[in-house]
Protein backbone atom coordinates (compact mmCIF):
# COMPACT_ATOMS: atom_id res chain seq x y z
CA UNK A 1 0.00 0.00 0.00
CA UNK A 2 1.09 3.60 -0.63
CA UNK A 3 -0.08 6.88 0.79
CA UNK A 4 0.75 10.55 0.37
CA UNK A 5 0.21 12.68 3.47
CA UNK A 6 -0.04 16.19 2.10
CA UNK A 7 -0.07 19.70 3.49
CA UNK A 8 0.78 19.01 7.10
CA UNK A 9 3.45 20.21 9.51
CA UNK A 10 5.94 17.46 10.23
CA UNK A 11 6.94 17.26 13.91
CA UNK A 12 9.75 15.04 15.11
CA UNK A 13 11.65 15.10 18.41
CA UNK A 14 14.24 17.28 16.68
CA UNK A 15 12.34 19.66 14.37
CA UNK A 16 9.09 21.06 12.98
CA UNK A 17 8.63 21.96 9.31
CA UNK A 18 6.00 22.07 6.59
CA UNK A 19 6.22 18.99 4.42
CA UNK A 20 4.48 16.18 2.57
CA UNK A 21 5.32 12.56 3.28
CA UNK A 22 5.15 9.86 0.61
CA UNK A 23 5.11 6.25 1.77
CA UNK A 24 5.35 3.05 -0.25
CA UNK A 25 6.40 -0.56 0.44
CA UNK A 26 6.03 0.04 4.16
CA UNK A 27 8.64 2.80 4.43
CA UNK A 28 8.88 6.55 4.01
CA UNK A 29 10.09 7.14 0.46
CA UNK A 30 10.04 10.91 0.23
CA UNK A 31 9.65 14.06 2.29
CA UNK A 32 9.23 17.47 0.71
CA UNK A 33 6.88 20.27 -0.31
CA UNK A 34 4.51 19.84 -3.26
CA UNK A 35 5.02 16.08 -3.67
CA UNK A 36 2.74 14.55 -6.31
CA UNK A 37 0.81 11.33 -5.64
CA UNK A 38 1.36 8.59 -8.24
CA UNK A 39 -1.90 7.30 -9.75
CA UNK A 40 -3.98 5.19 -7.39
CA UNK A 41 -2.18 6.31 -4.24
CA UNK A 42 -4.38 7.25 -1.27
CA UNK A 43 -3.97 10.92 -0.36
CA UNK A 44 -4.50 12.13 3.20
CA UNK A 45 -5.08 15.86 3.42
CA UNK A 46 -3.10 16.95 6.49
CA UNK A 47 -3.81 20.68 6.20
CA UNK A 48 -3.79 22.18 9.70
CA UNK A 49 -2.59 18.90 11.14
CA UNK A 50 0.67 17.72 12.65
CA UNK A 51 2.39 14.75 11.02
CA UNK A 52 4.23 12.85 13.76
CA UNK A 53 5.89 9.49 14.30
CA UNK A 54 3.32 6.90 15.35
CA UNK A 55 3.18 6.38 19.11
CA UNK A 56 5.19 3.57 20.68
CA UNK A 57 3.78 2.02 23.86
CA UNK A 58 6.70 0.20 25.51
CA UNK A 59 4.55 -1.50 28.15
CA UNK A 60 1.46 -3.60 27.33
CA UNK A 61 0.05 -7.00 28.35
CA UNK A 62 -2.28 -8.28 25.66
CA UNK A 63 -4.13 -11.50 26.61
CA UNK A 64 -1.89 -11.95 29.63
CA UNK A 65 -2.65 -15.04 31.80
CA UNK A 66 -2.55 -13.47 35.29
CA UNK A 67 -4.01 -14.01 38.77
CA UNK A 68 -6.19 -16.92 37.65
CA UNK A 69 -7.64 -15.33 34.53
CA UNK A 70 -6.59 -13.91 31.12
CA UNK A 71 -6.55 -10.22 30.18
CA UNK A 72 -9.57 -9.45 27.97
CA UNK A 73 -7.66 -7.46 25.31
CA UNK A 74 -5.96 -9.58 22.69
CA UNK A 75 -3.19 -8.65 20.25
CA UNK A 76 -5.62 -7.84 17.42
CA UNK A 77 -8.14 -5.80 19.37
CA UNK A 78 -5.38 -4.12 21.39
CA UNK A 79 -3.27 -3.02 18.44
CA UNK A 80 -6.45 -1.91 16.67
CA UNK A 81 -7.49 0.26 19.61
CA UNK A 82 -3.90 1.55 19.69
CA UNK A 83 -4.18 2.63 16.05
CA UNK A 84 -7.41 4.49 16.77
CA UNK A 85 -5.45 6.52 19.30
CA UNK A 86 -2.32 7.11 17.18
CA UNK A 87 -0.08 4.36 18.55
CA UNK A 88 1.57 2.15 15.90
CA UNK A 89 3.88 -0.12 17.90
CA UNK A 90 3.71 -1.95 21.21
CA UNK A 91 6.38 -3.69 23.27
CA UNK A 92 4.59 -6.43 25.19
CA UNK A 93 5.94 -8.93 27.76
CA UNK A 94 6.73 -12.62 27.65
CA UNK A 95 6.30 -13.77 31.25
CA UNK A 96 7.39 -17.40 31.78
CA UNK A 97 6.14 -19.20 34.87
CA UNK A 98 9.03 -19.65 37.30
CA UNK A 99 10.95 -22.85 36.51
CA UNK A 100 9.91 -22.90 32.86
CA UNK A 101 11.77 -22.15 29.64
CA UNK A 102 12.04 -18.51 28.58
CA UNK A 103 12.33 -19.59 24.96
CA UNK A 104 9.25 -21.81 25.09
CA UNK A 105 7.32 -18.89 26.61
CA UNK A 106 8.64 -16.56 23.89
CA UNK A 107 7.33 -18.99 21.26
CA UNK A 108 3.93 -19.11 22.98
CA UNK A 109 3.61 -15.32 23.02
CA UNK A 110 4.81 -15.12 19.41
CA UNK A 111 1.86 -17.41 18.54
CA UNK A 112 -0.61 -15.22 20.35
CA UNK A 113 0.75 -12.11 18.66
CA UNK A 114 0.35 -13.50 15.14
CA UNK A 115 -3.08 -11.78 15.10
CA UNK A 116 -1.62 -8.31 15.81
CA UNK A 117 -2.76 -5.53 13.49
CA UNK A 118 0.37 -3.42 13.98
CA UNK A 119 4.02 -4.00 14.79
CA UNK A 120 5.04 -5.49 18.14
CA UNK A 121 8.07 -6.62 20.09
CA UNK A 122 8.67 -8.39 23.42
CA UNK A 123 10.52 -7.80 26.65
CA UNK A 124 11.17 -11.22 28.23
CA UNK A 125 10.72 -11.57 31.99
CA UNK A 126 13.32 -13.35 34.12
CA UNK A 127 11.10 -14.95 36.78
CA UNK A 128 13.67 -17.45 38.16
CA UNK A 129 17.37 -18.24 37.86
CA UNK A 130 19.47 -21.21 36.68
CA UNK A 131 22.15 -22.00 34.15
CA UNK A 132 19.29 -22.69 31.74
CA UNK A 133 18.00 -19.11 32.18
CA UNK A 134 21.51 -17.74 31.64
CA UNK A 135 21.85 -19.78 28.46
CA UNK A 136 18.39 -18.88 27.15
CA UNK A 137 18.99 -15.17 27.68
CA UNK A 138 21.92 -15.50 25.31
CA UNK A 139 19.90 -17.37 22.71
CA UNK A 140 17.05 -14.83 22.93
CA UNK A 141 19.44 -11.95 22.27
CA UNK A 142 21.46 -13.67 19.56
CA UNK A 143 18.67 -15.42 17.68
CA UNK A 144 15.33 -13.80 18.54
CA UNK A 145 15.85 -10.06 18.61
CA UNK A 146 15.32 -9.58 22.34
CA UNK A 147 17.38 -6.80 23.93
CA UNK A 148 15.45 -6.23 27.17
CA UNK A 149 14.68 -8.43 30.16
CA UNK A 150 11.97 -7.64 32.74
CA UNK A 151 12.11 -8.29 36.47
CA UNK A 152 9.23 -8.15 38.96
CA UNK A 153 10.22 -7.16 42.50
CA UNK A 154 6.53 -7.56 43.48
CA UNK A 155 4.00 -10.43 43.26
CA UNK A 156 5.49 -12.62 46.00
CA UNK A 157 4.77 -16.31 45.51
CA UNK A 158 4.18 -15.77 41.79
CA UNK A 159 6.67 -13.99 39.53
CA UNK A 160 8.63 -11.99 42.11
CA UNK A 161 12.42 -12.35 42.07
CA UNK A 162 14.86 -11.58 44.90
CA UNK A 163 18.06 -9.55 44.92
CA UNK A 164 20.11 -12.64 44.09
CA UNK A 165 18.23 -13.17 40.85
CA UNK A 166 18.46 -9.46 40.04
CA UNK A 167 22.25 -9.59 40.44
CA UNK A 168 22.65 -12.71 38.30
CA UNK A 169 20.28 -11.50 35.59
CA UNK A 170 21.63 -7.94 35.46
CA UNK A 171 25.18 -9.22 35.18
CA UNK A 172 24.18 -11.60 32.39
CA UNK A 173 22.24 -8.89 30.54
CA UNK A 174 25.26 -6.60 30.79
CA UNK A 175 27.47 -9.26 29.19
CA UNK A 176 24.96 -9.55 26.38
CA UNK A 177 24.44 -5.81 25.94
CA UNK A 178 20.77 -6.09 26.88
CA UNK A 179 18.79 -3.65 29.03
CA UNK A 180 17.10 -4.73 32.27
CA UNK A 181 13.67 -3.32 33.11
CA UNK A 182 12.02 -3.57 36.51
CA UNK A 183 8.66 -3.43 38.23
CA UNK A 184 9.93 -1.74 41.41
CA UNK A 185 7.76 -2.49 44.42
CA UNK A 186 8.98 -4.27 47.55
CA UNK A 187 6.96 -7.48 47.26
CA UNK A 188 7.73 -8.64 50.81
CA UNK A 189 6.39 -5.37 52.24
CA UNK A 190 3.29 -5.61 50.05
CA UNK A 191 2.65 -9.17 51.20
CA UNK A 192 3.13 -8.24 54.86
CA UNK A 193 0.73 -5.27 54.58
CA UNK A 194 -1.82 -7.35 52.66
CA UNK A 195 -1.95 -9.88 55.49
CA UNK A 196 -2.20 -7.13 58.11
CA UNK A 197 -5.03 -5.38 56.28
CA UNK A 198 -7.00 -8.58 55.66
CA UNK A 199 -6.52 -9.42 59.33
CA UNK A 200 -8.12 -6.06 60.18
CA UNK A 201 -11.10 -6.98 58.01
CA UNK A 202 -10.18 -4.59 55.19
CA UNK A 203 -11.07 -6.56 52.06
CA UNK A 204 -12.17 -3.84 49.60
CA UNK A 205 -10.17 -2.21 46.75
CA UNK A 206 -9.00 0.48 49.16
CA UNK A 207 -6.89 -2.25 50.75
CA UNK A 208 -4.94 -2.57 47.50
CA UNK A 209 -3.68 1.00 47.70
CA UNK A 210 -3.10 0.78 51.45
CA UNK A 211 -0.91 -2.29 50.93
CA UNK A 212 1.31 -0.48 48.41
CA UNK A 213 2.21 2.92 49.93
CA UNK A 214 4.68 5.15 48.03
CA UNK A 215 7.56 4.00 50.23
CA UNK A 216 7.14 0.48 48.84
CA UNK A 217 8.02 1.79 45.39
CA UNK A 218 10.63 4.27 46.58
CA UNK A 219 12.59 1.59 48.44
CA UNK A 220 12.51 -0.88 45.57
CA UNK A 221 13.56 1.76 43.05
CA UNK A 222 16.55 2.76 45.18
CA UNK A 223 17.48 -0.88 45.85
CA UNK A 224 17.39 -1.94 42.21
CA UNK A 225 19.42 1.09 41.13
CA UNK A 226 22.01 0.31 43.82
CA UNK A 227 22.21 -3.27 42.57
CA UNK A 228 22.59 -2.10 38.99
CA UNK A 229 25.22 0.45 40.04
CA UNK A 230 27.31 -2.22 41.78
CA UNK A 231 27.53 -3.98 38.43
CA UNK A 232 27.83 -0.85 36.32
CA UNK A 233 24.62 -1.85 34.59
CA UNK A 234 21.92 0.45 33.19
CA UNK A 235 18.33 -0.04 34.36
CA UNK A 236 14.86 0.99 33.13
CA UNK A 237 12.19 1.37 35.80
CA UNK A 238 8.66 0.81 34.48
CA UNK A 239 5.51 2.62 35.64
CA UNK A 240 7.19 5.11 37.98
CA UNK A 241 4.24 6.40 40.06
CA UNK A 242 5.73 8.26 43.04
CA UNK A 243 7.76 11.33 43.77
CA UNK A 244 10.05 9.10 45.84
CA UNK A 245 11.02 6.97 42.86
CA UNK A 246 11.15 9.96 40.52
CA UNK A 247 13.53 11.75 42.89
CA UNK A 248 15.72 8.67 43.29
CA UNK A 249 15.98 8.29 39.52
CA UNK A 250 16.86 11.96 39.07
CA UNK A 251 19.58 11.66 41.70
CA UNK A 252 21.01 8.49 40.13
CA UNK A 253 21.05 10.11 36.69
CA UNK A 254 22.72 13.21 38.07
CA UNK A 255 25.40 10.87 39.45
CA UNK A 256 26.05 9.48 35.98
CA UNK A 257 24.14 6.21 36.30
CA UNK A 258 22.32 5.25 33.11
CA UNK A 259 18.76 4.95 34.51
CA UNK A 260 15.56 5.38 32.52
CA UNK A 261 12.07 5.99 33.95
CA UNK A 262 8.68 5.28 32.38
CA UNK A 263 5.40 6.96 33.32
CA UNK A 264 1.90 5.67 32.63
CA UNK A 265 -0.65 8.08 31.19
CA UNK A 266 -3.05 6.85 33.87
CA UNK A 267 -0.77 7.86 36.78
CA UNK A 268 -0.44 11.37 35.34
CA UNK A 269 -4.13 12.27 35.62
CA UNK A 270 -5.89 9.80 37.97
CA UNK A 271 -5.45 9.84 41.75
CA UNK A 272 -6.11 7.48 44.67
CA UNK A 273 -9.58 8.91 45.38
CA UNK A 274 -10.89 6.34 42.89
CA UNK A 275 -10.44 3.65 45.57
CA UNK A 276 -12.97 5.44 47.78
CA UNK A 277 -15.69 5.24 45.14
CA UNK A 278 -18.78 3.74 46.81
CA UNK A 279 -19.32 1.56 43.75
CA UNK A 280 -17.16 -1.52 44.42
CA UNK A 281 -16.91 -2.27 40.69
CA UNK A 282 -15.57 1.21 39.87
CA UNK A 283 -13.00 1.08 42.66
CA UNK A 284 -11.96 -2.45 41.66
CA UNK A 285 -11.68 -1.42 38.00
CA UNK A 286 -8.85 0.90 39.09
CA UNK A 287 -6.88 -1.82 40.91
CA UNK A 288 -3.49 -1.93 39.28
CA UNK A 289 0.09 -1.96 40.53
CA UNK A 290 1.53 0.45 41.38
CA UNK A 291 -1.80 1.89 42.54
CA UNK A 292 -3.08 5.38 41.85
CA UNK A 293 -1.47 7.86 44.20
CA UNK A 294 -2.41 11.03 46.12
CA UNK A 295 -2.56 13.87 43.59
CA UNK A 296 0.70 15.51 44.65
CA UNK A 297 2.70 12.70 43.10
CA UNK A 298 1.44 13.70 39.65
CA UNK A 299 3.39 16.95 39.67
CA UNK A 300 6.61 15.02 40.36
CA UNK A 301 5.89 12.77 37.36
CA UNK A 302 5.17 15.74 35.10
CA UNK A 303 8.33 17.45 36.36
CA UNK A 304 10.28 14.32 35.50
CA UNK A 305 8.93 14.28 31.96
CA UNK A 306 9.44 18.02 31.41
CA UNK A 307 12.98 17.95 32.83
CA UNK A 308 13.96 14.81 30.92
CA UNK A 309 14.63 12.83 34.11
CA UNK A 310 11.79 10.48 33.09
CA UNK A 311 11.90 9.44 29.46
CA UNK A 312 8.96 7.42 28.22
CA UNK A 313 5.18 7.15 28.60
CA UNK A 314 3.23 3.92 28.40
CA UNK A 315 -0.06 2.40 29.53
CA UNK A 316 0.68 -1.04 31.01
CA UNK A 317 -2.49 -1.93 29.08
CA UNK A 318 -3.73 -5.02 30.96
CA UNK A 319 -7.51 -5.26 30.86
CA UNK A 320 -9.93 -7.21 33.03
CA UNK A 321 -13.71 -6.92 32.74
CA UNK A 322 -16.10 -6.59 35.70
CA UNK A 323 -16.71 -10.34 36.19
CA UNK A 324 -12.94 -10.86 36.29
CA UNK A 325 -12.37 -8.04 38.77
CA UNK A 326 -15.20 -9.58 40.88
CA UNK A 327 -12.92 -12.56 41.58
CA UNK A 328 -11.65 -10.35 44.41
CA UNK A 329 -15.09 -9.36 45.71
CA UNK A 330 -14.22 -10.50 49.24
CA UNK A 331 -10.45 -10.17 49.13
CA UNK A 332 -8.67 -7.29 47.38
CA UNK A 333 -5.54 -9.41 46.91
CA UNK A 334 -7.55 -11.52 44.42
CA UNK A 335 -8.67 -8.62 42.22
CA UNK A 336 -6.73 -9.05 38.92
CA UNK A 337 -4.31 -6.16 38.73
CA UNK A 338 -4.45 -4.03 35.62
CA UNK A 339 -6.13 -1.19 33.74
CA UNK A 340 -6.39 -0.18 30.09
CA UNK A 341 -5.34 2.99 28.29
CA UNK A 342 -3.69 2.22 24.97
CA UNK A 343 -6.33 4.03 22.89
CA UNK A 344 -6.24 7.18 24.99
CA UNK A 345 -2.58 7.60 26.01
CA UNK A 346 -1.67 10.05 23.23
CA UNK A 347 -4.81 12.23 23.65
CA UNK A 348 -4.44 12.32 27.43
CA UNK A 349 -0.76 13.25 27.09
CA UNK A 350 -1.52 15.97 24.54
CA UNK A 351 -4.41 17.39 26.54
CA UNK A 352 -2.71 17.36 29.94
CA UNK A 353 0.81 17.87 28.63
CA UNK A 354 0.85 20.07 25.52
CA UNK A 355 -2.48 21.93 25.75
CA UNK A 356 -1.67 22.73 29.37
CA UNK A 357 1.64 24.29 28.31
CA UNK A 358 3.88 21.79 30.14
CA UNK A 359 5.32 20.21 26.97
CA UNK A 360 6.08 21.32 23.42
CA UNK A 361 4.84 19.26 20.48
CA UNK A 362 8.40 18.05 19.92
CA UNK A 363 8.70 16.95 23.56
CA UNK A 364 5.37 15.15 23.14
CA UNK A 365 6.88 13.20 20.23
CA UNK A 366 9.95 12.46 22.30
CA UNK A 367 8.07 10.94 25.25
CA UNK A 368 5.34 9.22 23.22
CA UNK A 369 7.58 7.63 20.59
CA UNK A 370 11.21 8.65 19.99
CA UNK A 371 12.69 7.93 23.43
CA UNK A 372 11.19 4.45 23.51
CA UNK A 373 12.55 3.77 20.03
CA UNK A 374 16.05 4.92 21.04
CA UNK A 375 16.14 3.22 24.44
CA UNK A 376 14.98 -0.10 22.99
CA UNK A 377 17.18 0.28 19.92
CA UNK A 378 14.73 0.46 17.04
CA UNK A 379 15.51 4.09 16.13
CA UNK A 380 15.44 5.49 13.41
CA UNK A 381 13.51 2.56 11.94
CA UNK A 382 10.79 3.58 14.40
CA UNK A 383 10.21 6.80 16.35
CA UNK A 384 10.85 9.42 13.66
CA UNK A 385 9.79 10.76 10.26
CA UNK A 386 12.73 10.21 7.90
CA UNK A 387 13.31 8.70 4.49
CA UNK A 388 13.88 4.98 5.01
CA UNK A 389 12.09 4.82 8.36
CA UNK A 390 9.06 2.57 8.70
CA UNK A 391 5.95 4.41 7.58
CA UNK A 392 4.42 4.46 11.07
CA UNK A 393 2.80 7.88 11.21
CA UNK A 394 -0.01 9.68 13.00
CA UNK A 395 -1.78 12.66 11.44
CA UNK A 396 -2.54 14.56 14.61
CA UNK A 397 -5.40 17.05 15.00
CA UNK A 398 -4.16 19.34 17.78
CA UNK A 399 -7.50 21.12 18.04
CA UNK A 400 -9.85 18.16 17.75
CA UNK A 401 -11.76 17.18 20.87
CA UNK A 402 -13.46 14.02 22.03
CA UNK A 403 -15.06 12.61 25.17
CA UNK A 404 -13.47 9.40 26.35
CA UNK A 405 -15.89 6.60 27.18
CA UNK A 406 -16.10 2.80 27.31
CA UNK A 407 -19.27 3.25 25.27
CA UNK A 408 -17.25 4.46 22.29
CA UNK A 409 -13.72 3.15 22.74
CA UNK A 410 -12.32 0.29 20.65
CA UNK A 411 -10.64 -1.43 23.60
CA UNK A 412 -11.99 -4.87 24.48
CA UNK A 413 -12.85 -4.04 28.07
CA UNK A 414 -16.06 -2.86 29.74
CA UNK A 415 -14.45 0.03 31.65
CA UNK A 416 -12.36 3.07 30.78
CA UNK A 417 -10.30 4.63 33.56
CA UNK A 418 -10.49 7.98 31.70
CA UNK A 419 -14.32 7.74 31.49
CA UNK A 420 -15.93 11.11 30.80
CA UNK A 421 -12.65 12.98 30.29
CA UNK A 422 -12.94 15.65 27.57
CA UNK A 423 -9.62 15.72 25.75
CA UNK A 424 -8.17 17.98 23.07
CA UNK A 425 -5.78 16.40 20.59
CA UNK A 426 -6.63 13.28 18.62
CA UNK A 427 -5.50 11.02 15.81
CA UNK A 428 -7.22 12.08 12.57
CA UNK A 429 -5.40 9.35 10.64
CA UNK A 430 -2.95 6.60 11.58
CA UNK A 431 -0.61 4.87 9.13
CA UNK A 432 0.98 1.53 9.99
CA UNK A 433 3.90 0.58 7.70
CA UNK A 434 2.34 2.61 4.91
CA UNK A 435 -1.24 1.35 5.34
CA UNK A 436 -3.94 3.78 6.47
CA UNK A 437 -5.44 1.87 9.41
CA UNK A 438 -7.46 4.67 10.99
CA UNK A 439 -9.01 7.68 9.27
CA UNK A 440 -11.76 10.02 10.40
CA UNK A 441 -13.23 7.48 12.78
CA UNK A 442 -13.01 4.58 10.35
CA UNK A 443 -10.91 1.72 11.80
CA UNK A 444 -9.34 -0.28 8.98
CA UNK A 445 -6.90 -2.55 10.79
CA UNK A 446 -6.19 -6.00 9.36
CA UNK A 447 -5.79 -9.06 11.61
CA UNK A 448 -2.27 -10.38 11.32
CA UNK A 449 -0.84 -7.39 9.43
CA UNK A 450 1.51 -6.57 12.33
CA UNK A 451 5.11 -7.76 12.26
CA UNK A 452 7.45 -8.83 15.05
CA UNK A 453 10.17 -6.21 15.48
CA UNK A 454 13.60 -7.58 16.37
CA UNK A 455 15.63 -5.34 18.62
CA UNK A 456 19.43 -5.74 18.44
CA UNK A 457 21.53 -5.53 21.61
CA UNK A 458 23.71 -2.61 22.56
CA UNK A 459 26.75 -4.72 23.46
CA UNK A 460 29.50 -2.21 22.52
CA UNK A 461 27.97 0.79 24.31
CA UNK A 462 26.88 -0.91 27.54
CA UNK A 463 30.05 -2.93 27.82
CA UNK A 464 32.03 0.32 27.45
CA UNK A 465 29.99 1.93 30.24
CA UNK A 466 30.48 -1.07 32.49
CA UNK A 467 34.19 -1.14 31.78
CA UNK A 468 34.41 2.60 32.47
CA UNK A 469 32.62 2.10 35.78
CA UNK A 470 34.81 -0.88 36.64
CA UNK A 471 37.94 1.16 35.86
CA UNK A 472 36.86 3.70 38.49
CA UNK A 473 36.48 0.93 41.01
CA UNK A 474 38.97 1.43 43.91
CA UNK A 475 39.27 -2.33 44.20
CA UNK A 476 41.73 -2.52 41.32
CA UNK A 477 44.77 -3.55 43.41
CA UNK A 478 48.31 -2.78 42.16
CA UNK A 479 49.85 -5.82 43.86
CA UNK A 480 52.11 -8.36 42.18
CA UNK A 481 49.93 -11.20 40.95
CA UNK A 482 46.68 -9.59 42.18
CA UNK A 483 43.76 -10.73 40.01
CA UNK A 484 42.46 -8.02 37.72
CA UNK A 485 38.95 -6.96 38.84
CA UNK A 486 36.54 -6.54 35.99
CA UNK A 487 32.92 -7.32 36.83
CA UNK A 488 31.76 -6.44 33.37
CA UNK A 489 32.89 -9.82 31.99
O1 LIG B 1 2.49 -5.44 37.04
C1 LIG B 1 2.29 -5.36 35.82
O2 LIG B 1 2.85 -4.54 35.14
C2 LIG B 1 1.32 -6.28 35.12
C3 LIG B 1 1.13 -7.60 35.82
C4 LIG B 1 0.01 -5.57 34.86
N1 LIG B 1 -0.76 -5.27 36.05
C5 LIG B 1 -0.63 -4.11 36.76
O3 LIG B 1 -1.35 -3.91 37.74
N2 LIG B 1 0.27 -3.23 36.41
ZN1 LIG C 1 4.30 -3.93 36.60
ZN1 LIG D 1 3.10 -4.33 33.27
Amino acid sequence: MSVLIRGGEIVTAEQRFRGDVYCAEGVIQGIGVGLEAPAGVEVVDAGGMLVMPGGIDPHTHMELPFMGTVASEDFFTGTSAAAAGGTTMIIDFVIPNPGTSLIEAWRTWRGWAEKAAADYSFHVAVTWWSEQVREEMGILTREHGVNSFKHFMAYKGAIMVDDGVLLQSFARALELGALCTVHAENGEAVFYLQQRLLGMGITGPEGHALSRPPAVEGEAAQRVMAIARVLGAPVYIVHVSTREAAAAIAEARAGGHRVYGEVLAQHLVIDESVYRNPDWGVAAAHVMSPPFRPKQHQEALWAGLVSGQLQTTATDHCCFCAPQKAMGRNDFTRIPNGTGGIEDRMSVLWHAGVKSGRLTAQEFVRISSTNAAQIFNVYPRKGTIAVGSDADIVVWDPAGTRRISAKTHHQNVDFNVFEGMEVQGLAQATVSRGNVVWRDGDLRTVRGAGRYVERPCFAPAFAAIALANAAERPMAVEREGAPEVNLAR
Side-chain angles (χ1 to χ4, degrees):
M1 270 290 277
S2 306
V3 60
L4 174 64
I5 301 168
R6 189 160 53 193
E9 181 180 9
I10 295 169
V11 182
T12 68
E14 289 73 33
Q15 51 185 345
R16 297 180 67 142
F17 58 98
R18 251 277 305 121
D20 308 334
V21 183
Y22 174 59
C23 311
E25 278 122 57
V27 300
I28 295 172
Q29 302 284 354
I31 296 173
V33 176
L35 297 188
E36 287 303 320
V41 170
E42 180 168 3
V43 177
V44 174
D45 176 5
M49 304 293 160
L50 304 179
V51 180
M52 305 189 295
I56 298 174
D57 189 336
H59 190 157
T60 64
H61 299 281
M62 304 304 176
E63 50 195 296
L64 173 71
F66 190 57
M67 295 180 71
T69 185
V70 178
S72 58
E73 192 82 83
D74 72 27
F75 280 93
F76 173 61
T77 58
T79 48
S80 295
T87 290
T88 53
M89 179 182 173
I90 63 171
I91 309 183
D92 206 280
F93 290 83
V94 172
I95 307 181
N97 288 322
T100 67
S101 162
L102 276 63
I103 291 177
E104 283 313 306
W106 179 85
R107 291 201 174 96
T108 299
W109 259 264
R110 280 295 310 271
W112 294 339
E114 284 292 310
K115 62 176 83 75
D119 286 3
Y120 58 93
S121 193
F122 288 119
H123 311 284
V124 177
V126 173
T127 54
W128 64 297
W129 189 256
S130 68
E131 277 314 300
Q132 177 188 338
V133 173
R134 172 190 296 280
E135 184 55 35
E136 291 194 332
M137 288 173 75
I139 295 168
L140 285 164
T141 56
R142 286 191 301 275
E143 300 175 21
H144 300 302
V146 172
N147 74 13
S148 49
F149 291 98
K150 174 73 175 291
H151 305 76
F152 291 91
M153 298 171 77
Y155 305 124
K156 177 180 168 73
I159 53 179
M160 176 176 123
V161 293
D162 64 19
D163 294 357
V165 174
L166 292 175
L167 280 155
Q168 294 282 4
S169 184
F170 277 47
R172 177 58 167 156
L174 189 60
E175 283 172 9
L176 297 167
L179 177 60
C180 286
T181 78
V182 183
H183 174 131
E185 287 185 298
N186 182 317
E188 292 292 352
V190 169
F191 180 73
Y192 174 81
L193 291 172
Q194 286 176 333
Q195 302 314 306
R196 285 282 300 271
L197 288 157
L198 290 172
M200 294 158 67
I202 297 173
T203 63
E206 72 281 9
H208 178 76
L210 292 168
S211 68
R212 309 174 102 96
V216 159
E217 177 179 286
E219 183 277 334
Q222 296 191 59
R223 175 158 43 103
V224 74
M225 288 190 286
I227 287 171
R229 184 86 197 202
V230 160
L231 298 171
V235 62
Y236 177 104
I237 299 180
V238 304
H239 48 47
V240 173
S241 68
T242 60
R243 61 181 166 206
E244 286 86 346
I249 291 169
E251 184 184 353
R253 287 175 59 89
H257 189 188
R258 186 174 292 277
V259 177
Y260 301 113
E262 170 195 279
V263 181
L264 303 187
Q266 299 94 306
H267 283 131
L268 285 167
V269 297
I270 299 169
D271 67 62
E272 45 84 45
S273 60
V274 294
Y275 298 119
R276 294 192 291 274
N277 191 302
D279 181 328
W280 187 92
V282 171
H286 289 88
V287 166
M288 70 170 297
S289 297
F292 294 106
R293 302 293 183 187
K295 212 164 181 48
Q296 61 266 30
H297 291 272
Q298 293 172 9
E299 277 317 308
L301 301 180
W302 280 116
L305 291 171
V306 169
S307 67
Q309 294 302 350
L310 298 174
Q311 288 74 35
T312 62
T313 59
T315 63
D316 200 356
H317 191 79
C318 188
C319 299
F320 299 102
C321 294
Q324 294 172 293
K325 291 284 188 176
M327 290 165 65
R329 194 71 182 76
N330 302 311
D331 174 352
F332 67 83
T333 68
R334 298 182 184 284
I335 299 172
N337 286 204
T339 61
I342 198 159
E343 182 168 355
D344 302 311
R345 173 180 66 118
M346 302 275 275
S347 288
V348 167
L349 271 179
W350 186 273
H351 182 83
V354 180
K355 179 175 177 290
S356 68
R358 288 185 169 108
L359 297 165
T360 67
Q362 288 172 237
E363 289 164 344
F364 170 84
V365 170
R366 182 160 284 289
I367 65 172
S368 68
S369 182
T370 307
N371 277 353
Q374 292 176 337
I375 292 168
F376 293 111
N377 208 17
V378 289
Y379 180 88
R381 174 184 171 190
K382 303 287 188 184
T384 192
I385 304 273
V387 172
S389 295
D390 282 5
D392 285 1
I393 299 168
V394 59
V395 178
W396 192 255
D397 179 354
T401 61
R402 67 186 176 95
R403 180 185 172 79
I404 296 176
S405 174
K407 297 183 186 63
T408 52
H409 72 200
H410 298 84
Q411 298 170 150
N412 186 33
V413 63
D414 57 5
F415 191 85
N416 190 309
V417 290
F418 304 112
E419 186 69 38
M421 192 174 165
E422 295 280 351
V423 289
Q424 179 174 322
L426 51 83
Q428 187 238 28
T430 303
V431 176
S432 170
R433 287 212 333 283
N435 298 308
V436 178
V437 291
W438 167 259
R439 187 173 182 181
D440 299 326
D442 176 23
L443 189 55
R444 295 153 49 175
T445 50
V446 173
R447 190 181 182 89
R451 291 290 173 271
Y452 176 65
V453 178
E454 299 208 347
R455 294 180 287 114
C457 282
F458 302 82
F462 278 2
I465 293 166
L467 282 170
N469 290 348
E472 288 158 18
R473 214 178 298 276
M475 285 166 39
V477 174
E478 304 297 331
R479 186 186 318 124
E480 189 62 30
E484 185 200 344
V485 175
N486 176 356
L487 293 173
R489 260 206 288 274

